[in-house]
Amino acid sequence: MSCDTPPPTVESALLGNILVLTLNNPPVNALGVEIRRALQAAIESANDNPAVAAILLVGAGRHFCGGADIREFGKTPLAPTLPEVVQRIEASAKPVVAAIQGVALGGGLELALAAHYRLAVGGARLGLPEVLLGLLPGAGGTQRLPRLIGAKAALELMLSARQLSAEEALKWGLVDRLGDSADALAEGLAYTRQLLAEHAGPRRTRDAQALSEQSVQRQAIASARQRATEKSRGLLSPLLIIQAVEAALDQPFEDGLREERRLFQECLASAQRAGLVHAFFAEREVLKAPETRAAAPRAIALVGVVGGGTMGAGIAVAALDAGLQVTLIERDQPALDRGRSNVERVYDTLIDKGRLTLADKAATLARFSASTDYQALAQADLVIEAVFEDMTAKLAVFAELDRVCKAGAVLASNTSYLDINAIAQSISRPADVIGLHFFSPANIMKLLEIVVPAKVAADVVASAFDLAKKLGKVPVRAGVCDGFIGNRILAVYRQAVDAMMEDGASPYQIDEALRDFGYPMGPFQVADLAGGDIGWATRQRKAATRDPRARYVQIADRLCERGWFGQKTGRGYYRYVQGSRSASQDPEVLAIIDAERARAGITPRSFSQPEIIRRYMAAMINEGANVVHEGIALRPLDVDITFIHGYGFPRYRGGPLKYADQYGLPRVLADIREFAEADPLFWQPSPLLVELVERGADFDSLNHLD
Ligand code: CAA
Ligand code: NAI
């Protein structure tokens, strides 16, 4: 909080005989300790004050309340707790009304549930998103909501973290009425006056009867448990939410609250909660690059895309979906036709699935044009190049862009590895050149690495962040190096994985270990999905410059030599049934691996699952530390967000460097030193890791350098 921000308060104003209590803690009126204390005191005094007939709760600013103050989690709790405050509100002898505008989320909705009557105005969003933070609603929500709307609907809301609109909230029974206008205070006052006129007294949610049909409720709990066990892959809080709702069914209200508290504390103490809360704040911190503070973005409405292949088409769709105007450039007419159909196919698939109408597609494509003539980019505000990963091809494209684009146009490359400084230097306007590294499929994957070359203007970087926001992407600022943040680290842990395979672990065992760790897919499944040919070409290109002393595992080359590039060829590390993604293990692959081990003179040994994870994570963390050390990533949290949103790293572990902090940096370093005994060239501890261990510090200490 800056020194000119007023302290959080609950403002009290007596309007006639209605006491209006306004939560005031910008920007979302989170229920930090000051608010809890003030609210508790205000309810007490209202109950003692004969001039007060009813209490109206509202939020200052845009929102009613965004819930508990997430920054307090993991710190020493300060009294009164939120459950206590909420209990005090429900116990009020004078009727309490909540009038909701903006969000009522988590503890914010629980507060409203403890009020005796609820109203929402248009645009309001109500939900219990605690599961996204590894928590459960811990202020009575698991006990009150099922009593109010039944176990099935309550579980659906809590397990999905879905946010209901005001209209939905009325239909679901979360609120009693909708406001006619957007003015929550005026609507709330009118409703409260009406309640007083009708002599409506306190009506406590704890007494609501929606749980009375026991067998229906039990069935809802059983099926939620079955689904959560199948789907939530190692997540703790969904199962504990179900347990808490079961307590609402089985136990008296007060006992249920105690059980909820116990389960909430279990979630709060978990590493998953710490990982998920870290991810929540890190997602917001990545938006705060130095350039976004220093400069305003340029206006971007017209976007050019050069290259209509896998990435170019996906980028075009992402921009179209964001409402932008898009012009696609290809090298000749057949390629242009393919590019156009690559774009159209995305919409046709949605139509086939019933998620889009023909009219929607036509309306979107009305903003799309395609040409083989660069002149069509003359008015573009931003152009994103996505041609082959070849420096000569890229330089030729940028020369054309330099020739045709208007002054002030942002010129971006989607290169995965190439030197963007060299691209920038090759044209007359290096300050306009930036890297925008999308991930495949570009219209789906959330990550956007914003690669910042030496000469780029601050407002170009700010424009890239602004574009990410428009496209609904999660931007991470990266410096220029081979592979930037993500692919550079990927190259290193892939080597660790390949070495384990050659030393005795099967690709299937490694994939299973990483799925159990929380990844949706293992690294060999990912390789088969991405296609082995791209990596093979890269390895051939880099063969001449590879350190001859470095270990080089040739198994992937043996597969590629057979034309086994993964899913698209029906064979890779796995075999694929024609035209399907269903994979089976392949004994021939295992035989090839055996032959390679023999050729390299390696006697295979067995690997336990923990050892696989130890080696995989040590390689990833060590290179992550190097990337931070060299300033390629601004902070450790940028590495974390890159892996969560670009590489499927389990969000509940908070990212690789958050995981490292939890595992303990001295242990990571000890692992690296142990592995270095067999391969000292590969396992060289990062200077940053060594320094942090020597100082007794962790990666998180580097996340808060403002
Ligand atoms: N506690 C503390 N800070 C919060 C917060 C919370 N509950 N919710 C948001 N903030 C902070 C954000 O970190 C951000 O801070 P910076 O500006 O310093 O980065 C700022 O408020 C604005 O947040 P957004 O950028 O996300 O603003 P938005 O307008 O896009 O979204 C929002 C607003 C929908 C409320 C969104 O912030 C959100 O989803 N917040 C989390 C809501 C939530 O999960 N609540 C449950 C909390 S757990 C709980 O309540 C447990 C319980 O049962 C007791
Ligand atoms: P692709 O081979 O699918 O598409 C490249 C397209 O560029 C082709 O349609 C080709 O006709 C066109 N093209 C080539 N030269 C051109 C020119 N001079 N003018 C206009 N168009 C031209 O390749 P892909 O996979 O889309 O990759 C494109 C870029 O994106 C590469 O730099 C790649 O490294 C990068 N990238 C690729 C990812 C992936 O997963 N495929 C992920 C992130 C980045």
Side-chain angles (χ1 to χ4, degrees):
M1 197 193 310
S2 75
C3 44
D4 49 11
T5 311
T9 53
V10 174
E11 288 150 11
S12 291
L14 191 59
L15 300 183
N17 57 357
I18 300 172
L19 184 73
V20 179
L21 297 181
T22 307
L23 309 177
N24 193 346
N25 185 14
V28 303
N29 300 326
L31 298 162
V33 63
E34 296 98 333
I35 295 284
R36 297 198 301 273
R37 278 184 190 146
L39 200 49
Q40 171 111 325
I43 296 282
E44 291 294 347
S45 79
N47 270 273
D48 292 343
N49 184 350
V52 175
I55 301 159
L56 174 63
L57 288 177
V58 292
R62 288 196 299 134
H63 298 298
F64 177 72
C65 178
D69 187 339
I70 302 173
R71 285 171 215 278
E72 287 183 357
F73 295 151
K75 299 188 182 147
T76 314
L78 295 170
T81 64
L82 190 56
E84 284 162 358
V85 176
V86 157
Q87 277 283 70
R88 184 64 196 88
I89 290 172
E90 189 171 65
S92 169
K94 298 181 179 174
V96 183
V97 180
I100 298 166
Q101 87 282 13
V103 302
L105 294 177
L109 180 55
E110 293 176 288
L111 192 67
L113 288 174
H116 304 140
Y117 301 92
R118 284 164 294 281
L119 168 146
V121 300
R125 287 183 286 143
L126 293 82
L128 292 170
E130 284 88 342
V131 71
L132 301 178
L133 300 173
L135 288 169
L136 51 84
T142 66
Q143 305 304 298
R144 288 193 180 88
L145 192 61
R147 285 176 164 80
L148 187 65
I149 63 172
K152 184 162 188 267
L155 281 168
E156 149 93 36
L157 210 58
M158 289 189 262
L159 294 174
S160 69
R162 192 170 145 193
Q163 297 181 13
L164 302 180
S165 66
E167 294 75 16
E168 287 171 319
L170 181 70
K171 214 158 71 194
W172 285 50
L174 258 70
V175 298
D176 303 293
R177 68 147 75 179
L178 301 183
D180 293 327
S181 75
D183 185 341
L185 175 60
E187 296 293 334
L189 280 170
Y191 185 31
T192 311
R193 282 191 199 108
Q194 182 192 327
L195 288 165
L196 286 173
E198 292 165 359
H199 305 290
R203 184 198 56 174
R204 300 189 172 88
T205 309
R206 59 181 289 171
D207 301 326
Q209 291 301 317
L211 283 180
S212 50
E213 267 189 86
Q214 287 262 330
S215 65
V216 178
Q217 310 301 330
R218 286 208 191 283
Q219 212 173 0
I221 288 172
S223 67
R225 182 167 280 138
Q226 193 188 345
R227 235 172 310 125
T229 312
E230 283 162 14
K231 268 184 52 194
S232 53
R233 289 212 327 260
L235 276 176
L236 175 71
S237 74
L239 294 170
L240 297 195
I241 285 173
I242 297 166
Q243 203 172 324
V245 171
E246 201 163 34
L249 197 62
D250 290 339
Q251 298 179 23
F253 184 72
E254 299 293 341
D255 293 348
L257 281 185
R258 265 190 292 279
E259 178 66 351
E260 176 192 87
R261 195 74 196 144
R262 188 184 70 76
L263 296 171
F264 181 79
Q265 298 291 0
E266 192 178 331
C267 288
L268 197 60
S270 71
Q272 293 188 358
R273 190 278 305 158
L276 288 165
V277 167
H278 173 73
F280 175 86
F281 285 120
E283 273 163 359
R284 284 155 180 81
E285 285 305 306
V286 290
L287 306 174
K288 300 169 190 165
E291 294 88 351
T292 59
R293 296 176 190 191
R298 298 179 185 175
I300 290 173
L302 252 81
V303 174
V305 177
V306 185
T310 310
M311 293 308 289
I315 294 167
V317 169
L320 287 168
D321 288 348
L324 298 165
Q325 190 96 25
V326 177
T327 301
L328 179 71
I329 299 290
E330 261 288 357
R331 51 189 169 148
D332 52 35
Q333 195 57 44
L336 190 66
D337 295 341
R338 276 197 306 276
R340 186 191 283 277
S341 76
N342 286 343
V343 170
E344 291 206 25
R345 197 174 326 121
V346 175
Y347 295 108
D348 291 338
T349 309
L350 292 176
I351 292 173
D352 290 346
K353 289 182 183 162
R355 289 207 241 137
L356 195 79
T357 64
L358 277 167
D360 293 335
K361 176 185 164 188
T364 302
L365 290 183
R367 285 183 279 104
F368 179 67
S369 61
S371 174
T372 54
D373 182 0
Y374 275 84
Q375 210 56 49
L377 298 179
Q379 292 310 314
D381 303 306
L382 159 77
V383 180
I384 304 168
E385 165 279 310
V387 305
F388 302 134
E389 185 73 344
D390 174 82
M391 196 50 142
T392 314
K394 305 237 185 239
L395 292 180
V397 170
F398 272 81
E400 286 296 296
L401 298 180
D402 200 10
R403 192 174 61 77
V404 302
C405 289
K406 67 181 183 186
V410 174
L411 307 180
S413 173
N414 181 49
T415 179
S416 307
Y417 293 94
L418 299 175
D419 181 357
I420 300 177
N421 279 322
I423 296 176
Q425 289 306 331
S426 74
I427 63 169
S428 69
R429 30 175 141 172
D432 293 332
V433 176
I434 193 160
L436 287 179
H437 186 217
F438 289 82
F439 286 69
S440 179
N443 56 318
I444 308 269
M445 291 293 287
K446 286 277 174 224
L447 181 65
L448 178 63
E449 273 182 305
I450 294 179
V451 189
V452 178
K455 294 263 169 73
V456 67
D459 66 345
V460 169
V461 182
S463 307
F465 276 87
D466 189 47
L467 176 77
K469 190 172 174 192
K470 286 198 175 94
L471 302 188
K473 301 290 180 200
V474 178
V476 172
R477 186 189 187 282
V480 177
C481 69
D482 194 2
F484 319 127
I485 298 178
N487 283 348
R488 170 170 161 175
I489 297 173
L490 164 74
V492 174
Y493 68 77
R494 272 300 317 199
Q495 285 180 55
V497 161
D498 286 343
M500 283 193 272
M501 172 164 63
E502 195 175 51
D503 286 341
S506 88
Y508 314 121
Q509 188 195 357
I510 294 171
D511 277 353
E512 188 184 354
L514 284 150
R515 283 195 306 269
D516 288 351
F517 182 75
Y519 273 96
M521 285 188 208
F524 295 99
Q525 291 172 288
V526 172
D528 275 2
L529 181 65
D533 45 338
I534 301 168
W536 192 30
T538 310
R539 290 195 297 280
Q540 285 168 339
R541 199 174 63 232
K542 291 186 175 168
T545 52
R546 190 178 302 128
D547 185 339
R549 297 166 305 155
R551 179 171 178 182
Y552 180 70
V553 176
Q554 299 182 24
I555 296 166
D557 294 348
R558 294 296 91 79
L559 302 189
C560 290
E561 285 154 14
R562 288 168 169 78
W564 297 355
F565 295 145
Q567 280 189 22
K568 61 183 168 191
T569 57
R571 287 185 91 158
Y573 289 97
Y574 294 81
R575 263 175 185 269
Y576 299 88
V577 181
Q578 193 80 42
S580 126
R581 286 188 175 188
S582 91
S584 56
Q585 301 189 2
D586 188 345
E588 279 186 61
V589 168
L590 295 177
I592 292 167
I593 296 170
D594 270 337
E596 279 301 300
R597 288 172 183 151
R599 190 192 52 74
I602 290 167
T603 310
R605 69 176 179 89
S606 67
F607 280 79
S608 67
Q609 188 148 328
E611 184 180 357
I612 291 172
I613 300 300
R614 248 179 358 117
R615 285 178 176 269
Y616 176 96
M617 285 310 304
M620 187 184 248
I621 293 163
N622 200 46
E623 193 61 8
N626 283 331
V627 157
V628 175
H629 186 57
E630 293 170 25
I632 298 298
L634 281 179
R635 301 145 298 198
L637 64 83
D638 296 272
V639 175
D640 289 337
I641 291 300
T642 300
F643 277 86
I644 290 174
H645 287 291
Y647 297 81
F649 193 91
R651 182 181 175 87
Y652 68 78
R653 296 191 187 274
L657 300 186
K658 177 68 184 177
Y659 172 86
D661 280 352
Q662 292 185 334
Y663 181 81
L665 299 196
R667 281 175 77 198
V668 178
L669 187 57
D671 284 347
I672 291 170
R673 289 190 168 139
E674 178 195 323
F675 306 148
E677 286 168 19
D679 187 351
L681 190 66
F682 180 74
W683 293 104
Q684 294 184 37
S686 163
L688 177 62
L689 181 61
V690 174
E691 183 206 315
L692 288 172
V693 171
E694 278 169 3
R695 286 202 284 121
D698 60 11
F699 283 118
D700 198 44
S701 64
L702 306 176
N703 280 332
H704 311 286
L705 308 170
D706 225 337

